[in-house]
Amino acid sequence: RRVLFRSLKARFTSNTFPDTFVRHFATHTGGNPLFMGELLTYAIQQGHIINDGGHWTVSPGWDALDLPESLEGVVEERIQSLTEKLRETLACASVQGHDFTAEVLARVQDEDPDSVMSCLLDDLGKSHKLINEIGEQEISPNNLLSLFQFRNSLIQQQLYKELGVVQRRRLHKKVAECLEAIYGDNCFMVAPELAFHFRMARDIDKALTYELETAKRFARQIAFKEAVMSYRAARDLAAARPVHNDDLINTITLELADLLKKSGNLGDA
């Protein structure tokens, strides 16, 4: 209860919440800070918590509310309250992962970048509080990406889960192709992401190309653990190709063995 009281005080500086309301929310959420935060946002959007002349309070009849019983339930309710267009935008973003870029999203949806930015900042950010803007990434002096993040991983996971299998595969393919187009000659900067998306899209050859690039980059950085994982993933991809290339598989296996020796894992070489 003390955790909730501090959370309410920090978020609603001037409030007249009755003690019974605080006890009810504390009991309902079991003191889970993430659950409390999402439930409070849900309550505001549903009009159960209102701003009355500069003071936050609860609407009449709040004690009879049928509140979602879990964090997952709150997330699902909030997603379902969105318009079809906003749900579609967030679902496409979920394919990129917990963090995503507006420019890739705009290309995937074939939408005007400024329109997508407005949707992310105003509708999904400020109004619905489902995502946060986290900064920019410079690819080149004339090429900046706008970075966003889901407020919590459950939002992204729920949206991704609702996509069909075929839809996921096609969207992963589009995300990968958009990343290639945006990064151009700098694709090595996102080689791990490209390997993942092409693998999810069942494009084995391209996934293999980027997984090998990832492995070699990690090896050059003396990040042996990550390099070993990427080499093993690359070997599995090479073995999964419809037409086997034994020479390629042997080359990857030898490079992996050499890396294991350098890292001191002689028993695994």
Side-chain angles (χ1 to χ4, degrees), residues 17 28 49 53 74 78 91 127 171 174 189 200 203 210 230 269:
F17 296 135
H28 192 86
I49 295 177
V74 177
R78 295 185 63 200
S127 296
L171 284 171
K174 291 185 73 172
M189 294 173 63
M200 297 300 290
D203 189 330
Y210 287 112
S230 288

Side-chain angles (χ1 to χ4, degrees), residues 195-214:
F196 168 74
H197 288 298
F198 276 122
R199 185 168 64 251
M200 297 300 290
R202 305 287 181 84
D203 189 330
I204 302 299
D205 286 341
K206 282 212 164 187
L208 175 57
T209 296
Y210 287 112
E211 198 67 73
L212 280 173
E213 173 63 27
T214 299

